Amino acid sequence: MAKKKGTLYLIPSVLAEDTAGKVITPQVKELLPHIQHYAVENLRTARRYISSLRLGITIEDLQMDILDKKTKPHQLDQLLKPLMEGHDMGVVSEAGCPGIADPGAVAVDFAHRKGIKVVPLTGPSSMFLALMASGFSGQSFAFHGYLPIDKKAKIEAIKNLEQEALKLRRTQIFMETPFRNNALLEDLKTTLHPNTRLCIAKNITGSDEMIVTKTIAEWKKSKIELHKIPTVFLIGESQG
């Protein structure tokens, strides 16, 4: 008789510090004390996050292995071996929901290929929270993750996003590495049409959260500091 396999749980983390009390559900807190094996994007962040929930868990007793963008497909068999041995495992992203713009997706793909049950848990997703608060279409949207670093390629990508947003009425969602946010905003201001509407959502769920939608012409008159602040950008049409 085949040995029963474990379940892969996708465990949401916080987007901003000291917000677990308001954004992490009781379901997550009830489950975590029963999981001993984890695949995490960042060891320090995952340990600090689980400790912050104050669930009486001894962090040193947990088995945590790195699952990040450097993880190779051939490493998954060993990394996710506990699942095959009947142990439940949790996937924890550095921030937000695993599997959305982070390496957790490869663990989920592995689980499906091996016939392992996958359970996503409710938690904060910067992409969806920004979309909800943007005023743009939630009926048709595309998430592009990070834009190219190369200046020429980035400008071309911005132009393509604008065309798709306006011609197809499809909201375009994207991000940048936080220390390059200000540079991206300047590129958006100089590349997009003055009437194009841009939503900027910074430090979502944090005490200084800001989610504002304006035309590019209006953004050019505004002063906003985004350096090293987690930010989501959206291009789209207002629904009014």
Side-chain angles (χ1 to χ4, degrees):
M1 183 176 177
K3 188 172 184 178
K4 183 181 178 181
K5 299 172 184 175
T7 297
L8 183 66
Y9 290 95
L10 306 181
I11 300 169
S13 182
V14 294
L15 298 174
E17 290 188 7
D18 302 321
T19 58
K22 65 178 182 179
V23 302
I24 300 302
T25 66
Q27 180 191 24
V28 172
K29 297 175 182 179
E30 290 168 4
L31 178 69
L32 286 183
H34 304 287
I35 298 180
Q36 298 294 310
H37 303 270
Y38 291 86
V40 304
E41 188 173 9
N42 183 294
L43 280 175
R44 181 171 176 270
T45 301
R47 287 170 177 156
R48 187 171 59 189
Y49 164 55
I50 294 176
S51 294
S52 74
L53 298 178
R54 299 179 180 178
L55 301 174
I57 298 172
T58 302
I59 301 300
E60 290 74 21
D61 291 343
L62 303 179
Q63 178 184 320
M64 287 190 176
D65 292 301
I66 294 291
L67 173 63
D68 60 16
K69 62 184 180 181
K70 296 179 181 178
T71 302
K72 305 299 182 184
H74 70 269
Q75 296 175 303
L76 293 176
D77 279 320
Q78 183 61 35
L79 181 65
L80 302 176
K81 186 177 179 181
L83 287 168
M84 304 301 294
E85 295 177 341
H87 301 288
D88 292 340
M89 285 192 72
V91 176
V92 181
S93 174
E94 190 163 6
C97 295
I100 301 178
D102 91 331
V106 299
V108 176
D109 180 60
F110 174 92
H112 286 305
R113 292 175 185 274
K114 299 293 185 178
I116 293 167
K117 183 179 180 180
V118 177
V119 178
L121 303 182
T122 304
S125 166
S126 60
M127 179 185 89
F128 287 114
L129 292 173
L131 178 61
M132 289 165 61
S134 68
F136 297 153
S137 174
Q139 190 73 17
S140 178
F141 59 90
F143 179 59
H144 299 273
Y146 297 90
L147 299 189
I149 296 177
D150 177 76
K151 179 82 169 183
K152 185 177 179 181
K154 180 168 58 172
I155 296 302
E156 186 64 27
I158 290 172
K159 291 178 179 178
N160 291 336
L161 293 178
E162 182 178 42
Q163 289 179 1
E164 185 170 335
L166 301 181
K167 289 184 179 180
L168 302 179
R169 295 187 175 181
R170 179 176 296 154
T171 303
Q172 306 295 300
I173 310 170
F174 52 99
M175 301 184 301
E176 180 55 283
T177 302
F179 70 85
R180 288 198 287 261
N181 279 336
N182 285 340
L184 174 58
L185 179 56
E186 289 308 309
D187 288 333
L188 291 168
K189 287 180 180 179
T190 57
T191 305
L192 297 174
H193 188 278
N195 292 333
T196 294
R197 295 183 67 79
L198 173 72
C199 177
I200 298 176
K202 74 166 188 172
N203 205 28
I204 297 173
T205 72
S207 59
D208 60 340
E209 172 187 270
M210 185 206 80
I211 305 176
V212 176
T213 297
K214 297 181 181 181
T215 65
I216 290 300
E218 290 170 328
W219 278 119
K220 286 182 178 180
K221 299 175 185 177
S222 303
K223 289 186 178 180
I224 178 173
E225 178 56 54
L226 301 175
H227 186 59
K228 292 188 177 181
I229 301 174
T231 304
V232 179
F233 299 87
L234 305 91
I235 299 172
E237 288 189 333
S238 292
Q239 296 301 291

